[in-house]
Amino acid sequence: MATFTDTEIEYLTSQPLGRFATVGKDGRPHVTPVGVFCDTDTLVIGCVATMTATKKFRDVLANPDVAVVVDDLATVDPWAPRGIEIRGWAEALMDGGGEVGRLLGAGFPFDEVYLRIHPRRIVAWGLDGAAARDVV
């Protein structure tokens, strides 16, 4: 079974912005807006700046447990929020980001260093067939 459903992939590829949560060395949470790109069974987070200089990168090296939320309002009247939360672990990749960003159609040039998020749990709402499930 694929990690994401077809509906989730369609939604994730339609929403270029998400929020990325990490845990710092001190155990405190950190959330930052990021560009999120769906790449088959994982998510990719790139950075136009030098990724290695960011807190999110340092946090991932210290503790790879992360979460990403991508959400929006399908309509305001009636109120219809929808979104997806992905909890998992992040892999810091030290090269190839430029090419990955181009292949995924990023609207900005990726730094060569990027993050790949491997889902462990997916919680979706407001999407057809939305459900919470663990990823094996």
Side-chain angles (χ1 to χ4, degrees), residues 66-118:
V66 299
V68 177
V69 172
V70 176
D71 64 336
D72 72 337
L73 291 171
T75 63
V76 177
D77 188 17
W79 189 257
R82 61 184 178 172
I84 186 167
E85 174 192 2
I86 295 101
R87 299 178 211 163
W89 63 277
E91 174 183 18
L93 297 156
M94 301 308 288
D95 59 33
E99 181 64 16
V100 169
R102 281 188 292 283
L103 290 173
L104 295 177
F108 58 91
F110 275 22
D111 180 53
E112 283 303 302
V113 177
Y114 66 104
L115 301 173
R116 185 170 296 277
I117 312 308
H118 300 270

Side-chain angles (χ1 to χ4, degrees), residues 19-34:
R19 287 171 292 282
F20 182 55
T22 60
V23 179
K25 285 183 182 181
D26 59 2
R28 294 183 182 193
H30 176 252
V31 178
T32 188
V34 293

Side-chain angles (χ1 to χ4, degrees), residues 2-62:
T3 300
F4 298 109
T5 67
D6 290 342
T7 301
E8 291 167 348
I9 291 170
E10 182 180 337
Y11 180 72
L12 287 167
T13 56
S14 75
Q15 301 295 318
L17 188 64
R19 287 171 292 282
F20 182 55
T22 60
V23 179
K25 285 183 182 181
D26 59 2
R28 294 183 182 193
H30 176 252
V31 178
T32 188
V34 293
V36 177
F37 303 91
C38 188
D39 186 17
T40 312
D41 293 330
T42 63
L43 295 180
V44 170
I45 295 175
C47 188
V48 72
T50 304
M51 177 69 83
T52 56
T54 66
K55 180 167 176 23
K56 63 182 166 272
F57 181 81
R58 292 188 305 273
D59 285 354
V60 163
L61 292 181

